Amino acid sequence: MTTATADHAEPKVQTVDQASQPTGYKTMPSVLVIDDDRLVLTLTQRALAPIADIEIAATAEEGLTKLRRGDFDAVLLDIQLPDQNGLAVYCEIREHDRRIPVIFMTIEAASNTAIEAMQLGAFDYIAKPLAVDPLRDLLEKAIEQRKISSVPVAIAADDETEPTSGELFIGAAPSMLDVFKAIGKVAKQDVPILVRGESGTGKELVARALYQYSHRESEPFLAVNCAALPDNLLESELFGHEKGSFTGAESRRIGKFEQCNGGTLFLDEIGDMAPSVQAKVLRVLQEQRFERVGGNKELKTDVRIIAATNRPLEQMVEDGDYREDLLYRLNGVTIELPPLRDRVSDVPALVRFFLGQAKREFNKPDLEGLSPEAVERLTAYDWPGNVRQLRAVIRRCVLDSVMPVITPDGLPREVLGATSSSESARLSAEANLDSSGTRLPDLVRSLLQNRSTNVYSEALEYMEKYVITMVLKETNGNQSQAAEILGITRGKLRDRIKSFDIVLSSDVTVPS
Amino acid sequence: MSLLNEQQRTRFDHALERVGGDEEMLIVLARMAVEDAPPMMEKLEAELADRELAAVAKTAHAFKGLMSTFETNSPVEDLQSVIDAAREGDFKTASASYSDIKPSLKDLVQQVEQLLAE
């Protein structure tokens, strides 16, 4: 049996002295192939010659020796070597230079070792028998990755100056400084506060900060999303109910206003409240008094309310969908959170914070940070989902990254610009026009392929649009009936009709 | 000019496709496989006779890798049952599986050798 060594392989290979000594000048990328099968060595050498200088080694020992002497851009590594397990060799390669992309080769593609290698951060693995074209493509990718990973990072993943108060207090844009000042001014005053801002801007974080800096910091903080519950359930959630007050009320329930006595209650999406609930909340704000649903006994509570919304409450008052007196009670003090696109100068600091957080959480000690091009792309994007979206994008990038530096290749297509997300946009647009409700699987699949970080809300929007259109068709466009059937307020329905551009003609449609 | 005849190209069409249609390369690889396969089989048989199952698994794995350049289905794929049985310490299955596929493996080596005849 012929043992594969560098000298035996055909065609003749370069010697260590010729190829592996760092010269400081390279015309071609160099790749080290470690495998005891001389067919693999020969095949890789011939197949990859047009794109790289190939150095070969038939044992782990020979491979590691060459690696330490040379300056390689990628390593192709057999998982089972005669003198050492490929995984152990991989760890030594990482110790020597953790930026070198390592591609495992294995005849058992589904083996646990291959999976383990990927978990450890291998660049990829390729199944044997090797096929020239996919091998060349993969190597080109690895070499490119090596090249871009070697550029200095623009944002480091190790942020030693991480603020303890979380992401809210990151940023130095004037609009955010105004927010910080407002929190400082009103936190200790026992007045209701309305926090306004687009979805994802961090309204709950402001509420928490107001609570933490208030006199009530040792008392409870509870949060209720008013849009997440149907009106009757929201009323019960906030005020509690007596046994037998409605079908399903099998026992007395204590509501949030009672539970939170002495503390702070955060009412999110306060614009999505039915008039009956608005009236009860107003009474609590005025008198600190209420009754449980189905109860006669008047209860007293001492709760500070912090409310939040992204709805146009003034417009809703004009339309008769929101109580004017409640609005004035709520917005005695208003804190306005700017959208992220209006404070792009804060993006790098937020990225640094989320990067450090995700690095620790996902245990990626080798992650160094983001390349300057990646930071440029992140700063150029307009972030419709605001800080929440930025956080999701960074977490996804960290989770997916196998190399120390995150480059634009690792960013979701939506961030990279309209052309790259055109397929997703096309499907979203088609889904918008679709009235059959059957495009949801295609939409979700496309969003996943495009590494979207907004899958949940896009899918929900599709579903909502379909349901609302169908119900409106059923009621021939009658909004009061539709709202009743849907179990939502007329105000909420009107808001959705407006935002989805639903046309209330004899045949209810979503226009193109 | 083609280095292989029509029959050889048809028999090893997948292998040829994997090497990017490079007939010369396939012949170079065939020469190596024909040199390496017989001693590898002998080694495997000796290890089976000595019941050295860890060594059997290693050699069968290497042999599978060697021959998969030319054939990915039976009998090369069947070597996996020898590997699995040897790893599990099941001498009887490893030995029986190898005996079953040995004639087909020899045939395959001969077919690969035919690539050198042209």
Side-chain angles (χ1 to χ4, degrees), chain B:
Chain B
M1 194 186 88
S2 184
L3 300 170
L4 303 177
N5 62 38
E6 190 56 39
Q7 198 185 352
Q8 289 167 329
R9 275 200 298 273
T10 307
R11 169 63 187 91
F12 292 107
D13 56 345
H14 291 305
L16 202 51
E17 196 184 323
R18 280 193 292 272
V19 295
D22 186 341
E23 293 182 3
E24 194 189 322
M25 194 194 307
L26 194 67
I27 291 170
V28 168
L29 299 177
R31 186 169 295 122
M32 291 179 180
V34 167
E35 276 175 23
D36 290 358
M40 223 181 235
M41 286 175 81
E42 277 172 29
K43 186 171 184 266
L44 185 57
E45 284 158 29
E47 287 161 350
L48 274 167
D50 293 341
R51 298 192 174 214
E52 289 171 7
L53 291 182
V56 167
K58 260 189 169 179
T59 308
H61 177 92
F63 190 36
K64 186 184 172 191
L66 179 81
M67 296 312 293
S68 69
T69 303
F70 304 93
E71 180 56 79
T72 51
N73 296 316
S74 186
V76 177
E77 186 51 40
D78 301 334
L79 275 165
Q80 192 61 45
S81 55
V82 179
I83 299 167
D84 293 341
R87 281 180 185 157
E88 284 163 20
D90 182 354
F91 168 72
K92 211 173 146 187
T93 308
S95 183
S97 300
Y98 179 70
S99 297
D100 284 351
I101 57 173
K102 187 180 164 185
S104 318
L105 286 169
K106 280 190 155 180
D107 277 355
L108 177 62
V109 175
Q110 274 176 6
Q111 287 167 21
V112 173
E113 198 170 4
Q114 290 298 311
L115 291 171
L116 311 176
E118 286 295 302

Side-chain angles (χ1 to χ4, degrees), chain A residues 150 331 342 346 357 482 497:
Chain A
S150 302
N331 76 354
D342 289 351
D346 289 343
Q357 213 176 39
I497 290 170

Side-chain angles (χ1 to χ4, degrees), chain A residues 48-312:
Chain A
L48 302 174
I51 60 165
D53 287 330
I54 308 298
E55 185 73 18
I56 58 173
T59 62
E61 192 189 351
E62 187 188 356
L64 288 169
T65 305
K66 288 188 173 180
L67 183 87
R68 289 185 189 109
R69 288 184 192 167
D71 175 20
F72 295 101
D73 296 294
V75 175
L76 270 168
L77 177 63
D78 186 24
I79 257 178
Q80 192 169 312
L81 290 162
D83 54 338
Q84 207 175 342
N85 179 293
L87 222 51
V89 179
Y90 171 71
C91 292
E92 290 196 41
I93 294 171
R94 296 271 291 186
E95 225 165 85
H96 172 72
D97 183 348
R98 60 200 167 86
R99 279 199 179 88
I100 297 181
V102 177
I103 298 165
F104 274 99
M105 299 178 286
T106 173
I107 189 74
E108 295 167 79
S111 74
N112 291 340
T113 324
I115 295 165
E116 206 179 322
M118 291 306 289
Q119 284 174 336
L120 282 173
F123 182 75
D124 212 331
Y125 70 76
I126 188 164
K128 286 182 186 175
L130 299 177
V132 168
D133 291 339
L135 177 68
R136 216 176 268 160
D137 291 347
L138 187 58
L139 243 298
E140 276 174 345
K141 259 171 73 182
I143 290 165
E144 179 63 18
Q145 183 67 53
R146 162 73 163 180
K147 207 167 93 188
I148 46 190
S149 289
S150 302
V151 298
V153 294
I155 287 185
D158 297 296
D159 186 3
E160 301 299 333
T161 59
E162 181 188 316
T164 51
S165 331
E167 68 216 53
L168 175 64
F169 296 107
I170 296 164
S175 52
M176 276 315 280
L177 294 180
D178 287 345
V179 170
F180 305 152
K181 279 187 226 165
I183 292 170
K185 262 190 232 167
V186 299
K188 291 199 191 304
Q189 294 171 25
D190 232 358
V191 292
I193 290 167
L194 181 63
V195 186
R196 307 183 86 157
E198 288 179 12
S199 181
T201 46
K203 296 187 286 290
E204 180 164 349
L205 293 175
V206 172
R208 286 186 181 278
L210 286 164
Y211 160 69
Q212 281 159 13
Y213 288 97
S214 74
H215 295 302
R216 295 172 183 254
E217 56 164 340
S218 54
E219 301 297 331
F221 174 91
L222 297 176
V224 176
N225 186 329
C226 302
L229 295 167
D231 297 334
N232 55 342
L233 282 186
L234 176 64
E235 191 175 354
S236 166
E237 178 78 8
L238 292 176
F239 303 102
H241 62 247
E242 295 293 345
K243 184 179 175 182
S245 56
F246 53 85
T247 313
E250 287 164 3
S251 58
R252 173 187 284 174
R253 181 194 159 105
I254 303 298
K256 291 283 190 277
F257 275 110
E258 211 171 334
Q259 196 184 343
C260 200
N261 192 17
T264 305
L265 185 60
F266 174 54
L267 299 177
D268 199 4
E269 310 281 7
I270 193 114
D272 291 286
M273 230 180 218
S276 58
V277 187
Q278 290 176 31
K280 281 187 99 163
V281 171
L282 176 66
R283 188 167 165 228
V284 176
L285 281 167
Q286 286 171 331
E287 305 166 21
Q288 301 271 302
R289 285 172 203 278
F290 67 98
E291 284 103 27
R292 294 190 195 109
V293 176
N296 297 317
K297 191 179 164 194
E298 192 177 70
L299 301 166
K300 199 164 166 32
T301 187
D302 171 25
V303 172
R304 181 191 196 184
I305 292 178
I306 300 172
T309 188
N310 60 356
R311 305 273 304 270

Side-chain angles (χ1 to χ4, degrees), chain A residues 492-505:
Chain A
K492 191 187 228 172
L493 177 61
R494 207 176 296 174
D495 180 65
R496 298 297 189 272
I497 290 170
K498 197 177 163 195
S499 50
F500 297 153
D501 288 331
I502 295 171
V503 178
L504 296 167
S505 57

Side-chain angles (χ1 to χ4, degrees), chain A residues 197-202 338-341 382-391:
Chain A
E198 288 179 12
S199 181
T201 46
L340 189 52
R341 64 181 169 278
D382 66 356
W383 299 107
N386 293 298
V387 180
R388 186 189 292 140
Q389 188 191 8
L390 173 63
R391 180 175 184 269

